[in-house]
Amino acid sequence: MKRSIYGICTAALLALGACTTDELPAPDKTQPDGTEQTKPVSGEVLVKFKSYVSDILDQTAARTRSGGPATRSGILSVDEVLDLVGGYEIERVFPVDPRTEARTREAGLNLWYVVRFDKEYTVEEVVERLSQLGEVQYANPNRTIKRAYNPEKKAVPLTRERLSALTRQTRAAAAEYGFNDALLPQQWHLVNRGTMFTGTEACGETKSVVGADVQCEEAWKLSTGDPSIIVAVLDEGVCLTHPDLQANIWTNEDEVDGSREDNDGNGYAGDVHGYNFVTDTGVISWDDISDTGHGTHVAGVIAAQNDNGEGISSIAGGTSSQPGVKIMSCQIFSGDKGGNSMTSVKAIKYAADNGAVVLQCSWGYVSGTANSYEWGTPGYATEEEWETMDPLQKEALDYFIHNAGSPNGPIEGGIAVFASSNEYANSAGFPGAAEMCVSVSATAADFTPATYTNYGPGTKIAAPGGDRDYYWDYWTEGDNATRGETGCVLSTLPFNVSETGYGYMEGTSMACPHVSGVAALGLSYAAQLRRHFTADEFKALLYETTTPIDDRMKGSKLYYRYAYEMGLTHPTHLLLSDYAGNRMGAGQVNAARLLDAIGQNGRQMTFPNLYIPLEGEVTAIPANYFLGGETLSYTVKIDDESVASASMDGSRLTVRGLKSGVTKASITASNNETQTFNITVRKSASGDGWL
């Protein structure tokens, strides 16, 4: 959404020294607590301890129930400081998940703790004191992430009258667009015929170009999405009951809906469709009076169900007969409650540990080159500064990018997609601007840069994001349209925001889910073809297959900064040459080209080697490794049946370890294709790869 979700960095002191028991100065009641964008969460500091005190921390955690909060760390110097500041609680940032604890420790994320203390002392005072301790590697504020837009100004809803009018106009034409969804002809960002914004009495200029979209039409002939691909939406809660979304909501089959118990042992109770990190419950919400509908809107772009005769289409939402990608709702905003550093990084790691391979993040920090008069203190200027000042966020994203996916699936690693931000600035905001992330700029329906978009250093790729200031003169009285919807992105909304469940938003945070959706569609096709990619390989392919737009950066673009109270104001000429030199990214994301390239890149997936604990078992689905495997049946032959046994139950193969050793095995499909693999049985082993 335009002027989406940002925070600003504040410095944390990184110093090492001996323990001291000097008293802290008395709390300064008059000290300012920061602006809304820089204000840290009072009474909390995020601390990363050095690895040599890991055993002490583990022993302390073991004495608490389920690794919950403790009143002492067990580290003498730390506890002395906590006594000085009224410290009362210390807790691991990332709860223990036995399935992923080994890699969590390898990444050092087990060493991050949140320290809670008496709110009479400032965060800065506690950060300074903790940073002096030799056992502490980092001490940082838990920074509040505030949305830079006014949350009371929601999306522009599609009214019942307007919906009826559009349905009458477009129902006959919808069949020509590949799907029969009534509103698809209005979704120029998915399929642009060049028939919208072609000149009116008020504006004789055509501002639409055929194909200025994400090229879904040809891509849909190859794939419409696959339910094995999960996209984590880090945003407001997604409306789980929306008719266009409910079929494609991710479900944690091992959890119990509404439960306050952690039934699957992953550290989060009741996380059936994701998790609400704002309230620390499994209950996803979207109906707060201050909610904007943003999470539901981006989810609709990615995975609304297609071809159901009503509503919108999406990039990778599949159909009723061929289900699309799944949406995992990782809620980091709720109503007027902003997220913070801790909730956002917990959501990032949760996504990786629970099967998501695409991270959809329509938020970030203000660009380092943003106009400070309009946007306040600029954010991080360089990647080095971001890494130094926000190490926890960097480490969490590293974890997702390297640990999401599977070496035996379509992608090993994950793709983290961020909005470049909407400050009209000539550099992208972090963390999306970091090399490891995909930062998305926004375009209009004629490939021109959206007037608000950030661009330049850090920007990786472009996608349609809407541009109401550019198209405002296309609105005319008497056509039932609401002023402000023209030229924007049409998608799903919660019914408390829009009576029809649909409406309009714009911004780089609307461009962002177009890239997330195309990435998910590409991975769906890779799954269908049994092709495997590393995250870096797939990300490179995403950039290489874009639609070139740099040659369109010529001349100027006239737009108005619209003010509701004053009408059209401040006519402005945007100089397109400022965006030339691939400053909008590699080009505009192109689903058709990406899917065409999938089959010629990556490598063919084959049935993996299995590592099994003695007297334990692992399961696998053979169909995932044979082309067209869903329609085939399978038989398994194990050379040494004293080492392991195998059985098929429907589509699932179970292999049990009988004695320590190694044996060759083969699996043969009913089409006579045979694949060989090894089975290793040891006293201690993990089914995902090593002993």
Side-chain angles (χ1 to χ4, degrees):
M1 186 175 189
K2 192 172 181 180
R3 301 187 70 178
S4 194
I5 303 163
Y6 313 111
I8 304 292
C9 62
T10 57
L13 301 175
L14 305 177
L16 303 177
C19 170
T20 174
T21 59
D22 293 345
E23 290 187 5
L24 284 170
D28 182 356
K29 302 297 186 182
T30 63
Q31 181 174 344
D33 58 5
T35 66
E36 282 301 299
Q37 289 184 324
T38 63
K39 184 178 179 180
V41 176
S42 61
E44 291 187 359
V45 168
L46 299 172
V47 177
K48 184 178 185 181
F49 292 98
K50 291 186 177 177
S51 58
Y52 70 83
V53 296
S54 176
D55 289 344
I56 298 174
L57 295 167
D58 290 344
Q59 291 169 15
T60 300
R63 290 193 291 269
T64 65
R65 187 174 62 182
S66 303
T71 56
R72 285 290 182 269
S73 69
I75 303 169
L76 179 61
S77 60
V78 174
D79 292 339
E80 287 177 340
V81 171
L82 294 182
D83 284 338
L84 289 173
V85 298
Y88 66 93
E89 200 169 271
I90 182 168
E91 183 180 12
R92 253 181 64 152
V93 170
F94 303 104
V96 174
D97 181 345
R99 304 168 305 171
T100 60
E101 182 65 7
R103 71 188 194 189
T104 299
R105 289 177 172 273
E106 184 178 353
L109 293 181
N110 63 305
L111 299 172
W112 279 100
Y113 280 73
V114 56
V115 172
R116 301 185 178 97
F117 52 89
D118 193 323
K119 293 182 181 180
E120 287 188 347
Y121 289 93
T122 69
V123 168
E124 291 78 12
E125 288 170 333
V126 179
V127 165
E128 181 175 6
R129 183 52 60 95
L130 287 172
S131 295
Q132 295 172 3
L133 304 181
E135 297 88 348
V136 171
Q137 184 173 352
Y138 301 117
N140 297 94
N142 181 18
R143 300 183 182 93
T144 301
I145 299 176
K146 302 294 287 187
R147 287 164 285 193
Y149 62 88
N150 184 348
E152 294 181 0
K153 294 184 178 179
K154 300 180 174 64
V156 177
L158 182 64
T159 65
R160 286 195 179 96
E161 294 77 15
R162 180 66 169 157
L163 176 60
S164 296
L166 290 176
T167 301
R168 289 193 299 271
Q169 294 170 18
T170 62
R171 188 172 295 281
E176 302 172 9
Y177 282 72
F179 296 132
N180 64 7
D181 302 296
L183 295 176
L184 177 54
Q186 298 296 314
Q187 294 181 276
W188 58 267
H189 39 100
L190 300 187
V191 180
N192 192 340
R193 294 275 197 259
T195 55
M196 298 179 72
F197 323 125
T198 56
T200 66
E201 184 177 344
C203 180
E205 182 183 1
T206 294
K207 299 180 179 179
S208 182
V209 172
V210 176
D213 51 36
V214 295
Q215 296 293 298
C216 283
E217 237 177 337
E218 288 302 311
W220 285 333
K221 295 177 182 178
L222 300 176
S223 178
T224 59
D226 189 280
S228 67
I229 304 302
I230 302 168
V231 180
V233 174
L234 276 63
D235 210 304
E236 291 180 2
V238 175
C239 179
L240 307 177
T241 59
H242 195 290
D244 253 355
L245 293 173
Q246 58 187 358
N248 289 336
I249 299 296
W250 172 74
T251 298
N252 178 3
E253 300 289 353
D254 296 326
E255 194 50 87
V256 177
D257 198 7
S259 175
R260 296 184 180 181
E261 300 294 328
D262 180 15
N263 296 279
D264 62 353
N266 71 348
Y268 296 94
D271 58 320
V272 175
H273 301 298
Y275 200 72
N276 186 332
F277 295 92
V278 181
T279 60
D280 195 23
T281 69
V283 180
I284 305 299
S285 65
W286 57 85
D287 57 357
D288 188 283
I289 191 171
S290 297
D291 277 340
T292 67
H294 196 280
T296 302
H297 203 268
V298 301
V301 172
I302 299 166
Q305 189 178 73
N306 297 307
D307 211 34
N308 56 11
E310 302 293 338
I312 64 163
S313 294
S314 72
I315 297 171
T319 65
S320 59
S321 59
Q322 296 179 313
V325 304
K326 297 298 184 182
I327 294 293
M328 174 190 292
S329 184
C330 294
Q331 186 172 356
I332 61 173
F333 302 100
S334 178
D336 57 3
K337 300 180 183 68
N340 54 56
S341 299
M342 188 167 70
T343 56
S344 62
V345 297
K346 290 177 76 169
I348 291 169
K349 186 177 185 296
Y350 176 93
D353 289 344
N354 290 280
V357 291
V358 178
L359 205 63
Q360 159 58 36
C361 302
S362 288
W363 51 273
Y365 296 108
V366 171
S367 166
T369 58
N371 184 321
S372 59
Y373 178 80
E374 184 172 3
W375 298 97
T377 305
Y380 304 111
T382 66
E383 186 161 349
E384 181 181 10
E385 183 182 357
W386 168 67
E387 291 180 358
T388 301
M389 305 306 294
D390 213 337
L392 177 53
Q393 189 176 71
K394 197 268 183 183
E395 289 183 21
L397 282 166
D398 270 338
Y399 182 90
F400 178 84
I401 288 166
H402 293 107
N403 290 288
S406 166
N408 302 315
I411 187 169
E412 184 174 3
I415 306 296
V417 187
F418 281 82
S420 71
S421 302
N422 311 297
E423 298 107 25
Y424 309 77
N426 60 358
S427 67
F430 283 92
E435 184 62 30
M436 62 179 169
C437 299
V438 180
S439 179
V440 186
S441 62
T443 59
D446 58 0
F447 287 118
T448 60
T451 55
Y452 51 79
T453 189
N454 288 1
Y455 60 100
T459 308
K460 315 300 196 321
I461 198 168
D467 197 349
R468 69 176 53 148
D469 287 352
Y470 182 44
Y471 292 103
W472 210 280
D473 46 9
Y474 275 83
W475 182 87
T476 57
E477 298 281 357
D479 66 354
N480 293 312
T482 301
R483 208 161 182 60
E485 70 180 47
T486 308
C488 295
V489 171
L490 175 60
S491 187
T492 47
L493 286 171
F495 289 93
N496 58 299
V497 177
S498 169
E499 61 182 354
T500 61
Y502 304 97
Y504 299 85
M505 288 184 169
E506 66 162 4
T508 55
S509 63
M510 290 300 104
C512 186
H514 285 83
V515 175
S516 297
V518 170
L521 187 65
L523 290 172
S524 296
Y525 192 49
Q528 292 169 215
L529 294 183
R530 288 13 179 204
R531 304 297 294 176
H532 175 81
F533 296 84
T534 66
D536 284 343
E537 289 169 343
F538 189 84
K539 189 166 58 175
L541 205 62
L542 191 68
Y543 299 151
E544 291 167 8
T545 56
T546 56
T547 301
I549 61 174
D550 205 53
D551 59 356
R552 296 178 181 274
M553 303 303 149
K554 299 172 183 176
S556 64
K557 171 175 174 173
L558 175 66
Y559 70 98
Y560 294 87
R561 298 289 294 274
Y562 183 83
Y564 282 89
E565 299 83 5
M566 301 171 61
L568 296 176
T569 62
H570 307 300
T572 303
H573 280 277
L574 183 151
L575 193 62
L576 293 175
S577 60
D578 289 345
Y579 299 79
N582 294 321
R583 305 194 80 200
M584 288 288 286
Q588 182 148 301
V589 67
N590 187 313
R593 289 183 178 178
L594 176 64
L595 267 63
D596 281 342
I598 294 290
Q600 288 74 50
N601 289 275
R603 68 177 186 273
Q604 198 67 31
M605 291 164 54
T606 57
F607 196 86
N609 295 327
L610 300 180
Y611 302 83
I612 311 172
L614 184 62
E615 297 184 354
E617 60 185 33
V618 297
T619 60
I621 300 177
N624 291 343
Y625 307 97
F626 291 81
L627 199 61
E630 296 85 356
T631 63
L632 305 174
S633 58
Y634 303 91
T635 56
V636 179
K637 179 179 182 299
I638 298 176
D639 289 3
D640 186 346
E641 294 183 340
S642 69
V643 171
S645 64
S647 61
M648 290 292 302
D649 181 9
S651 63
R652 190 177 297 271
L653 167 67
T654 299
V655 182
R656 184 170 181 80
L658 303 178
K659 76 172 185 178
S660 296
V662 179
T663 180
K664 291 186 178 298
S666 62
I667 183 166
T668 301
S670 54
N671 64 356
N672 295 321
E673 179 184 352
T674 297
Q675 297 184 26
T676 60
F677 59 100
N678 294 325
I679 299 173
T680 302
V681 180
R682 290 288 185 268
K683 288 185 178 180
S684 177
S686 62
D688 62 356
W690 192 228
L691 309 177

